[in-house]
Amino acid sequence: MSTETGRESRRSGVLVDAMRWMENLSDTQYAYLLLIPVFVLLGVVALYPLLRTFELSLFATSLDLTSRSFVGIDNYVQLFTGGKNRFLPGGTTFVPSSLSISAMLNSALVVTIIFAVVSVAFETILGLGQALILDQDFYGRRWVRAAIIIPWAVPIVIQGMIFFLMFNSNVGFATPPLADLGLLAPTNTLNDTTSATFIIIVADIWKTSAFMALLILAGLQSIDRGLYDVAKVAGASKWQQFKLITFPLILPTIGVAVLFRSVQAMRVYGIIDTVSSCAVVPSLSCMVVATFNTREGTAAAIAFVTAAIIGIVVMGIILWQGEDAI
């Protein structure tokens, strides 16, 4: 009798009941159950700092850093008043004070958006081209792949020094030919906002197009090669094969690659600081760094707005790709 009672207790224990409950869950419910630790970790690592940042943005710190006072959304109002609030040397503002070219390039928000849009667009096009080449079977393909990865592996500090020396007005060899074409200022190039912005975008494209190529190449190599054999039998040209088979099947991969790069581009800081300076080429991250020690509330407001913009970009790409694609 005691043996049967022990067996029955083991069969009806808490762990056994939990296992039975899990076995009765649907596939969707079981998937969400496994994601609970991820959601908890995400809340601790990402959500709490974001809420804490928003809380800090509602306060203003005194100039002597001895006291804080609640100001509500005043920090956000000041950010979006353009020229009335200057944070960095050179008259940098969060939003442009006017619609002139100089005011646009002095706006950290505008410069960040220009950098993100232009660099990600060119990186996607170049990365797609590189991936299509690397997907072909030719002699020495592994060495070409290794060569393409090299720029991506270069640390940002070294990358910045390379482009600083290339475009330095005194010792750089790349400035004169581009200045003759009217693309760069012939003198004091890295201290000219337009020229420095152009150089930083080129530097980012040089480094990160390899990242896009690797992600897109992974999507290309997942395509069933039998589809191309069927297309050849049907008489489809190379362009038709790309248009009807390759591009639709790698579009979700391109969406993921664009998503990752857009998030990174919106946080640009290192390449700006190493090639030129934040006073010449402003960005949202530059403003956070420059204002953190003296205007903690303003820095928190900029950081929160930046996070909100990144969130909007992420949601836009997810909606563009569809729920099942990402």
Side-chain angles (χ1 to χ4, degrees), residues 5 28 30 68 75 88 93 96 113 135 137 144 150 173 197 205 212-213 230 232 241 258 274 278 292-293 306:
T5 304
T28 302
Y30 187 69
R68 287 196 308 167
N75 285 322
L88 294 174
T93 60
I113 292 175
D135 192 47
D137 189 12
V144 176
I150 289 175
F173 63 88
T197 302
I205 294 172
M212 303 292 282
V230 174
K232 290 177 182 178
Q241 293 178 33
V258 170
T274 53
C278 288
F292 182 77
N293 290 329
T306 303

Side-chain angles (χ1 to χ4, degrees), residues 235-252:
S237 63
K238 290 291 185 180
W239 168 248
Q240 289 173 328
Q241 293 178 33
F242 175 80
K243 179 181 177 181
L244 300 177
I245 298 176
T246 304
F247 188 73
L249 292 179
I250 65 171
L251 190 58

Side-chain angles (χ1 to χ4, degrees), residues 205-252:
I205 294 172
W206 172 80
K207 178 179 175 64
T208 323
S209 58
F211 172 78
M212 303 292 282
L214 292 176
L215 290 182
I216 297 173
L217 179 61
L220 286 173
Q221 295 189 335
S222 67
I223 299 176
D224 184 3
R225 302 298 167 175
L227 296 174
Y228 296 104
D229 296 334
V230 174
K232 290 177 182 178
V233 172
S237 63
K238 290 291 185 180
W239 168 248
Q240 289 173 328
Q241 293 178 33
F242 175 80
K243 179 181 177 181
L244 300 177
I245 298 176
T246 304
F247 188 73
L249 292 179
I250 65 171
L251 190 58

Side-chain angles (χ1 to χ4, degrees), residues 250-303:
I250 65 171
L251 190 58
T253 305
I254 293 176
V256 173
V258 170
L259 175 63
F260 287 160
R261 273 302 302 141
S262 299
V263 172
Q264 293 175 350
M266 289 296 297
R267 300 177 300 171
V268 59
Y269 172 76
I271 187 64
I272 294 176
D273 196 43
T274 53
V275 174
S276 181
S277 70
C278 288
V280 177
V281 183
S283 72
L284 296 177
S285 295
C286 283
M287 293 192 75
V288 172
V289 173
T291 58
F292 182 77
N293 290 329
T294 57
R295 300 182 178 91
E296 185 182 83
T298 299
I302 298 170

Side-chain angles (χ1 to χ4, degrees), residues 64 101 108 152 168 190 198 225 237 253 255 268 281 283 313 315:
D64 57 3
I101 299 298
W152 183 43
N168 186 280
L190 296 177
F198 173 80
R225 302 298 167 175
S237 63
T253 305
V268 59
V281 183
S283 72
V313 171
M315 292 303 300

Side-chain angles (χ1 to χ4, degrees), residues 101-137:
I101 299 298
S102 60
M104 290 287 185
L105 293 179
N106 280 333
S107 166
L109 178 61
V110 172
V111 170
T112 303
I113 292 175
I114 291 174
F115 172 85
V117 171
V118 176
S119 63
V120 172
F122 277 94
E123 288 161 8
T124 303
I125 296 172
L126 292 177
L128 176 59
Q130 293 175 1
L132 290 173
I133 294 173
L134 294 176
D135 192 47
Q136 305 302 314
D137 189 12

